Amino acid sequence: VTVTPVGGSFGARVTGVDLRSQVTPAQKDAILQAFHVYHLLCFPDQDLAPADELRLLELFNPAQSMVEGAGPCLPGYPEILIVSNIAEDGQPLGLTNKVSMEWHTDNSEIPYPPIASLLYAVEVPRTGGETYFANGHLAYETLDAATRASLDDRRCRYSWVQLQEWLAAADGSLPVMNDEQRALHPDLMRPLVRVHPVSGRKALWFTIESVISIDEMSRPESRALLEGLIDHIVKTPYVVYRHDWEAGDAVVWDDRCVLHSVCEYNYADQRRLMHLSVGRGPDRDC
Ligand SMILES: [Fe+2]
């Protein structure tokens, strides 16, 4: 196993491992060590079957079925969401985000938020369609001390229902939830600054489209605070890494300290097909 940093403040490429078969205990140790140091790992040039994708994700955390209504999954694999702009016979193959930028961490709105997520690139456009990742640790640590102190104990109210409504609007074809479905997903309170359970380092941690409010602040005030933090994230050197996908890339990241966002691409004449799987973390809350 060879681990090569991509540069900047986080992220590494991992080569010398064929993920079509079980990794050895020594390889697993090396991969987990790299995961905790670099927070994001890209395994390039892989040729994975869906079961291989899940085995990779499960080096970090158990795979979890997608929430019903989250979007189209691979047949026989309710844990693997199809993210794509491709339509066949007028039917969209997967979930499409036509709205673009949305900084988030996966499944921060449901119980047992993940340790890690996996995106596997099957088909990628010639240009565009990159994914932005942000180092939540560095984003936090580069704030001034007074701002850090003002954020430390803040709690965000998360709404899966609000996120699904946003995704349905962004996708254009997802069904809107009915009252029964909404009732299955009560709001959850989560910290704005999350302490990483392995390193003890703090990280900015939020999903702007699903936070309804922060503590006693109004919705517009809460949104303005998060927009200010995103402004800090995107303008601070070394916080953001942009992954330019190649087909065969399997990218795993630590959802406890890495935020991510899609980047726009030309939908008209290019095909993008990605598989997303998201783990189940150990804690009901965090
Ligand atoms: Fe995501």
Side-chain angles (χ1 to χ4, degrees), residues 104-106 253 260 276:
H104 67 281
T105 68
D106 287 340
W253 63 92
H260 59 284
L276 171 71

Side-chain angles (χ1 to χ4, degrees), residues 8-207:
S9 71
F10 71 116
R13 287 166 67 86
V14 181
T15 51
V17 54
D18 182 351
L19 299 170
R20 286 176 300 185
S21 53
Q22 192 95 37
V23 299
T24 66
Q27 286 175 323
K28 179 176 177 176
D29 285 350
I31 290 167
L32 288 179
Q33 168 82 10
F35 181 72
H36 290 132
V37 172
Y38 294 106
H39 316 313
L40 177 151
L41 303 178
C42 175
F43 300 82
D45 301 321
Q46 298 292 331
D47 180 14
L48 305 182
D52 302 328
E53 296 174 38
L54 296 182
R55 200 174 51 247
L56 170 59
L57 181 71
E58 295 197 332
L59 293 177
F60 306 91
N61 51 190
Q64 164 150 254
S65 292
M66 290 292 160
V67 177
E68 202 182 332
C73 291
L74 278 185
Y77 291 92
E79 309 91 346
I80 301 180
L81 184 76
I82 305 170
V83 178
S84 181
N85 68 330
I86 302 167
E88 283 174 355
D89 302 325
Q91 278 296 104
L93 212 59
L95 183 71
T96 311
N97 180 345
K98 296 171 182 158
V99 174
S100 195
M101 298 300 290
E102 181 229 358
W103 285 99
H104 67 281
T105 68
D106 287 340
N107 284 1
S108 43
E109 310 79 9
I110 64 173
Y112 309 100
I115 292 172
S117 299
L118 163 64
L119 263 176
Y120 176 57
V122 181
E123 273 189 82
V124 299
R126 293 183 301 280
T127 57
E130 299 87 355
T131 303
Y132 290 109
F133 294 92
N135 181 339
H137 291 313
L138 191 65
Y140 175 79
E141 290 157 3
T142 49
L143 293 166
D144 64 73
T147 304
R148 289 201 304 274
S150 76
L151 300 178
D152 274 346
D153 297 320
R154 293 213 172 269
R155 306 278 294 171
C156 300
R157 177 175 292 275
Y158 277 92
S159 165
W160 176 264
V161 172
Q162 176 171 294
L163 181 71
Q164 279 307 108
E165 285 173 355
W166 186 87
L167 282 170
D171 172 82
S173 64
L174 271 190
V176 176
M177 299 170 94
N178 61 34
D179 287 346
E180 211 173 307
Q181 290 164 322
R182 289 160 174 266
L184 291 174
H185 301 285
D187 294 350
L188 286 175
M189 301 303 291
R190 295 262 151 86
L192 175 57
V193 176
R194 189 168 178 186
V195 177
H196 197 286
V198 176
S199 64
R201 280 173 85 187
K202 292 177 179 174
L204 284 185
W205 192 80
F206 60 87
T207 293

Side-chain angles (χ1 to χ4, degrees), residues 7-10 133-135 138-139 142 233-241:
S9 71
F10 71 116
F133 294 92
N135 181 339
L138 191 65
T142 49
I233 285 170
V234 300
K235 288 182 179 163
T236 305
Y238 307 112
V239 170
V240 174
Y241 160 69

